[in-house]
Structure formats: C-alpha cells, structure tokens
Amino acid sequence: MLDTYRHVVTPEGVALHLRAAGPLPRALAYVLDLIARIAIYMALYQVLTALFGGAGYAILMLVTFVMSWFYMVLFEVLMQGRTPGKWALGLRVVAADGAPVGWMASFTRNLLRVVDALPVGYAVGLVTSLIDPWGRRLGDMVAGTLVVHAARQQTLYEAQVAPALAPAIVLLQHEQAAVVAFAERAPRLTAARQAELAELVEPLTLSRGQAAVMRLYGIANWLLGRR
C-alpha cells in the first residue's frame, strides 16, 4: 500500500499535511513494542520472584494485565502519540484533525485491537487498512484517529535583518503565509534563486533583483510584527 497524505485545516486556519502510515511500518512498530513488553515481563519476573517468591507470580499476572491494556494508551497520550515502537519507526497517533490523541480516543482504538485481530493475525485490521484511503484499521475509524509519519524537524531561518515594510496591497492569509515562508527558507537558496522567486511577486515589491528580495524580507518582518 502506498502512503497517502491527508490535508486538514485546524480551527486556527493552519493547514496540515498528514502523511498516513501504511500497514507495514505500523506492523513493524507493533512488533518492536511487543519485544519491549516481553523484555519488561522477563525483567519483572526475575525481580518479583526473587523478592516475593510464589507471591511474585500473582503480582506479575496483575502487572501483565495492566500492561496489556494500558501500555499503548499511556505512551500514546503521554508521549505525543508515540510508543517506543512508533518512535523507532518515526510514527505517531493523532486525531483525525491532526490534534494530539486524547485518553478516550487512545483507549477506544486500543480496545478495538481485539476486533482488528480477528480471526487471526490482525486480519480484520489489515483488510480495513488496505481499503481505507488513509490506512486506518477499524479501531482508528471508530476512535477518529490516524497513524502518521511524524514530520521531520526542519531548520527554519528567521527573516534577514531588513526594515519592516508594510505591504502596499492587502494580502490574503495564504499570501501572507507565502511571504513569511519565503523569508524563512530563502537564506538557504542562492542569491540568484532568491531574486528569481522575489521577482514573481513584482506587483507586491515594485522592484526587481536584490531590491525585490530585501523588500520581501521587510514585508515578512512587518507581518511577523518586528516593527
């Protein structure tokens, strides 16, 4: 299955591009979490039986029950949608609108693993994730959640020092975002490329070449409130 993008706009008007994860990376993340849990069980077995003898088995069964149901939930809610396995694969669970996953949604999606695992080997979950355009298993559909590839941290640059300059025309919201994005990313480009891009909005800058670049930086600083 090919990974797909989900485009959502937050109530604040911020556009998000969520790259939905397919069954393969999700399965690998689950296997890593399973290995982590087995390692924890084995460590607890050694400690509890050494400390409490036969009573340690009862404690271990209780701990195993709690971890079976809450391992995923606790990590997903407290670690911004990442269990250790998802962290290793660069995945995270989010709400359908891109917001952090909450307690109820996380509990619901993990509770329904019982159904997704039917009849064997997560067959129901695999079929539904292959049918769904965003790779959601049944639990995700019911809980309103989505497993996505976590966005890589990108180094953004502040707009170069330039006197704040009010735009000569009223800019729409997406036009303002484009100007600010130019100011953040242009420092990584060559001077020629910066000028080439700045000249595309000559009606806004009323200039060409390096002068257009500096005017765009100035407008970006004005939009960012650096006056």
Side-chain angles (χ1 to χ4, degrees):
M1 176 184 173
L2 296 176
D3 287 335
T4 56
Y5 283 87
R6 183 183 180 116
H7 177 78
V8 298
V9 179
T10 68
E12 293 79 16
V14 178
L16 298 177
H17 299 276
L18 303 176
R19 184 185 173 201
L24 181 57
R26 296 178 59 171
L28 293 175
Y30 181 82
V31 170
L32 292 178
D33 282 320
L34 182 60
I35 293 173
R37 278 184 288 177
I38 291 174
I40 294 172
Y41 295 149
M42 294 179 66
L44 287 174
Y45 171 80
Q46 298 292 333
V47 173
L48 293 175
T49 54
L51 291 177
F52 304 103
Y57 289 104
I59 299 175
L60 180 61
M61 293 300 292
L62 178 62
V63 173
T64 301
F65 173 80
V66 172
M67 287 190 61
S68 297
W69 287 104
F70 295 103
Y71 171 91
M72 296 287 191
V73 175
L74 290 175
F75 274 110
E76 287 177 357
V77 176
L78 300 179
M79 299 297 291
Q80 300 181 335
R82 294 186 176 98
T83 62
K86 290 184 176 68
W87 175 83
L89 270 293
L91 307 178
R92 61 180 299 199
V93 181
V94 297
D97 60 358
V101 64
W103 288 102
M104 183 58 69
S106 180
F107 184 78
T108 300
R109 71 183 300 276
N110 285 291
L111 179 65
L112 288 176
R113 285 184 185 278
V114 177
V115 180
D116 279 311
L118 295 176
V120 64
Y122 273 86
V124 172
L126 177 61
V127 171
T128 54
S129 65
L130 290 174
I131 295 174
D132 185 77
W134 295 295
R136 295 175 299 177
R137 60 178 175 83
L138 185 62
D140 287 314
M141 293 180 182
V142 175
T145 55
L146 187 68
V147 179
V148 299
H149 290 276
R152 295 180 179 177
Q153 294 291 331
Q154 295 183 349
T155 302
L156 298 179
Y157 297 80
E158 291 188 351
Q160 287 192 358
V161 177
L165 178 66
I169 58 178
V170 177
L171 297 177
L172 300 177
Q173 188 173 10
H174 70 277
E175 294 172 332
Q176 296 179 23
V179 172
V180 172
F182 169 84
E184 291 174 336
R185 299 169 182 171
R188 289 178 291 177
L189 305 176
T190 64
R193 181 57 175 161
Q194 292 182 38
E196 181 182 358
L197 293 174
E199 289 175 359
L200 294 176
V201 290
E202 186 175 352
L204 174 63
T205 62
L206 303 176
S207 56
R208 298 183 62 81
Q210 190 60 25
V213 174
M214 295 309 296
R215 289 182 70 86
L216 269 187
Y217 280 134
I219 294 172
N221 284 329
W222 188 88
L223 293 173
L224 292 171
R226 297 167 181 163
R227 306 165 198 167

